[in-house]
Amino acid sequence: MDKYDKYFKSENILKQPLSPEEAVATVALITTAADSSLEDVDIEFLVDILWGFEIFEEYSDEDLLEMLDKLLNIAEQNEIGALFNAANDKLEDEFLEDAFAAGVSVVVDEEEMHIPKTKMPLLKSLQEALEIGNEEAEEIIEDVIAAFEEAELEELLDSEDETIHDMGFTVEEYESPIGNFTVPIPVNPHQGGKVQSQEGTVSFSDDEGSFLRIDYYSLPAKQMEQMEIIGQEEYLKSTLVNKYVPEEIVANLPEAQVEYNEYMTDTLEGAYFVLLYMPDGSRTYKTGNNGTATKLDAYRGLIAFINGDFLYIVSSQRTFLDGRTSNFMKQEAVALKQMILDFVETIDFN
């Protein structure tokens, strides 16, 4: 028996009818609760998700809260699979896509802008229950993620008063919140370009597979003294290989491994380069014959260096299908190293 059968394959019937809008909201509610419980459902989160759908454009936040409270009460007082059956009965063709999109929306990882692998079985069960084909489901998932990326980019650009001009691609620049650097945004919003920024890091990516990231750390006097004692090469190597890679990459991709490293004495007044092989580490997916989407493999290059009172780690990555050999690895190391250095040249350090 599938773990989601109680939600999507119940034989129980709910006597209370639902409206099409309530049916769409029900799918979002049940998908949210499927891997946890009804008690863990965040109603305000669901309001934010549903408010972005056209069918709810006439609804106020209060209206959506009232609707979700009603549905939650029904689910708690009845068998939750019966609630799904009542919703599914009301989902005519024009509402099916909205319902599946609502289910997809509640499981999107908004930091990485993808569907976590652990959530794919849930979406597959929902897809089958709604009788949506693989090709249509893939298109809906892509559209949902694109909408999240567009919203994030618009929010960032609005908050920082950056300007996107309609002729081709013109963006003023990204400025670090603490003012230690500015950089022209290297991705095009018309190609799905997005900027993700949080304390100490900013990344740039697009639908074409581009990915560039800047991590930055203020260096207190104690760290400077430590670097003088052990030497810059050892300090950068230790920070990058022993701290950053395990904490920022291997923690999320356990199979990632360092395949090449190099200290560049004459580059950026001393810089340390690392090449990582990351199985399933790409931001790009491929779809198998069974309709299951899986991530491609990737190489990521990282360069650590000191500028002023800050440690910077600038990284980029490239996706590949096959052909991973020793010679291929060396080619990727050269290509990624140059790509990162070209990007660093565009950064204005203050």
Side-chain angles (χ1 to χ4, degrees), residues 109-114 145-146 148-150 152-153 156 169 171 184-197 202-214 281-284 300 315-317 319 343:
D109 182 332
E110 295 187 45
E111 290 189 2
E112 295 294 331
M113 289 299 172
H114 75 287
I145 293 176
F148 272 86
E149 292 174 342
E150 182 178 353
E152 173 128 11
L153 181 58
L156 179 64
F169 166 51
V171 178
I185 295 179
V187 290
N188 187 335
H190 302 300
Q191 295 175 341
K194 67 178 184 294
V195 182
Q196 294 176 275
S197 177
V202 59
S203 65
F204 310 94
S205 59
D206 62 24
D207 293 340
E208 305 298 312
S210 300
F211 177 80
L212 290 159
R213 171 169 168 162
I214 305 171
S282 172
R283 304 172 70 86
T284 303
R300 179 175 296 189
S315 57
S316 182
Q317 72 181 51
T319 297
F343 177 55

Side-chain angles (χ1 to χ4, degrees), residues 22 30 40 57 59 69 97 127 133 162 186 213 242-244 250 289 300-301 314 319 326 332:
E22 288 174 332
I30 292 177
D40 294 329
E57 63 182 359
Y59 284 68
D69 280 335
E97 288 191 7
Q127 174 194 334
E162 294 171 336
R213 171 169 168 162
N242 299 333
K243 295 181 180 179
Y244 183 90
V250 176
N289 295 331
R300 179 175 296 189
V314 182
T319 297
S326 176
E332 286 299 297

Side-chain angles (χ1 to χ4, degrees), residues 36-193:
S36 54
S37 67
L38 289 171
E39 290 77 13
D40 294 329
V41 171
D42 185 340
I43 296 295
E44 292 186 356
F45 165 72
L46 288 178
V47 168
D48 289 340
I49 292 294
L50 296 177
W51 193 79
F53 284 77
E54 186 176 350
I55 60 172
F56 296 110
E57 63 182 359
E58 300 299 327
Y59 284 68
S60 66
D61 285 357
E62 290 74 18
D63 293 334
L64 287 172
L65 280 170
E66 183 178 345
M67 175 192 292
L68 288 165
D69 280 335
K70 169 188 172 182
L71 295 172
L72 190 57
N73 287 331
I74 294 174
E76 290 172 340
Q77 296 170 11
N78 298 269
E79 198 265 340
I80 194 168
L83 178 61
F84 176 79
N85 289 338
N88 205 7
D89 287 342
K90 280 293 182 180
L91 291 174
E92 301 174 0
D93 291 345
E94 59 183 307
F95 296 107
L96 271 176
E97 288 191 7
D98 283 330
F100 187 63
V104 172
S105 297
V106 301
V107 299
V108 171
D109 182 332
E110 295 187 45
E111 290 189 2
E112 295 294 331
M113 289 299 172
H114 75 287
I115 307 298
K117 189 179 296 185
T118 56
K119 295 295 183 180
M120 292 304 295
L122 170 58
L123 288 188
K124 188 64 177 177
S125 294
L126 175 61
Q127 174 194 334
E128 292 173 352
L130 296 176
E131 297 182 354
I132 294 176
N134 289 337
E135 184 175 345
E136 183 179 4
E138 290 171 18
E139 290 178 357
I140 293 172
I141 291 173
E142 291 175 0
D143 289 343
V144 168
I145 293 176
F148 272 86
E149 292 174 342
E150 182 178 353
E152 173 128 11
L153 181 58
E154 289 178 356
E155 180 180 350
L156 179 64
L157 296 180
D158 287 344
S159 66
E160 298 186 359
D161 293 324
E162 294 171 336
T163 302
I164 299 179
H165 302 288
D166 290 333
M167 294 182 61
F169 166 51
T170 307
V171 178
E172 292 280 330
E173 60 187 10
Y174 172 86
E175 181 175 1
S176 159
I178 59 176
N180 56 314
F181 71 88
T182 57
V183 61
I185 295 179
V187 290
N188 187 335
H190 302 300
Q191 295 175 341

Side-chain angles (χ1 to χ4, degrees), residues 291-324:
T292 302
T294 58
K295 284 186 175 183
L296 296 171
D297 297 339
Y299 272 116
R300 179 175 296 189
L302 307 98
I303 293 181
F305 59 95
I306 307 295
N307 188 289
D309 296 330
F310 288 86
L311 165 69
Y312 292 91
I313 298 176
V314 182
S315 57
S316 182
Q317 72 181 51
R318 288 159 55 95
T319 297
F320 66 93
L321 292 171
D322 50 33
R324 179 172 171 258

